Amino acid sequence: TKEAGKNTTTNYDGDAGAIYADETTLSIKNGATFTDNNASYGGAIYLKQKVMMSATDTTFKNNRAQVNGGAVYSYYNESEPEGVNEIRLLGETSLEENHSGQDGGAIYRHRDGLKRLIARKNVAFNDNSAWEDCIAIEPEDEETHKENIETTNFTGSFQYAYNNYDVSYRAA
C-alpha cells in the first residue's frame, strides 16, 4: 500500500508525472494535491496493472498528458486479463483543468484496463479538455456507468457523462 500526501513528485520513463503504480493498493487522501504534472501518459498518475486506487478529498488540477489521460491513465495488458485496475473517487475529490493531447482529459481507460470506476456524488469534473471532444458511450459500458457514477458534476452535459473531456472509454 502506498499513500500520497501533498505535492507528490516522482517520474517513470515519461509515464506518470507524479505516481507510477503497478500491482498495489494506492490510497490518496488527506487533501493530497496533484498540480502541474506532465507526462506522455497519465499526467499525474499511471496505473499499470492490478492497482486498486482510491482518492479521497484529492485535487487533480492542471495536469497534462501529451497523449492520453490528463490526470490518470489506466493501462491494460491483453496477456494479463486479470490485471485490470479499479479507481474509486471519494469525498470532495476534484479533477479540474486537466488536459490530454488525444483522449481522456481527466481519466483514460486503455482498452479494458479499468474494471471499475466509482465516482461518488461530491466528486467534480470541471474544465477538463482533450484534443477530441465527444465520444459516444459503448452500449456495454452504460450499465457500469449507471451503477458506479453518482456525480453529475461534469465538464460537459453528455449522456452518461463519457464526454472524453472527463472520462474516455475508447477501446482503441
Side-chain angles (χ1 to χ4, degrees), residues 49-66:
Q49 62 182 17
K50 297 181 184 177
V51 178
M52 205 314 264
M53 176 187 133
S54 66
T56 305
D57 300 325
T58 301
T59 300
F60 295 90
K61 184 173 183 176
N62 200 38
N63 297 290
R64 301 281 182 259
Q66 293 171 359

Side-chain angles (χ1 to χ4, degrees), residues 94-116:
S94 68
L95 297 97
E96 55 191 72
E97 300 174 17
N98 299 291
H99 177 76
S100 169
Q102 288 184 10
D103 295 318
I107 298 173
Y108 179 80
R109 174 191 83 160
H110 176 256
R111 296 196 175 98
D112 291 322
L114 188 56
K115 174 172 68 176
R116 178 184 244 179

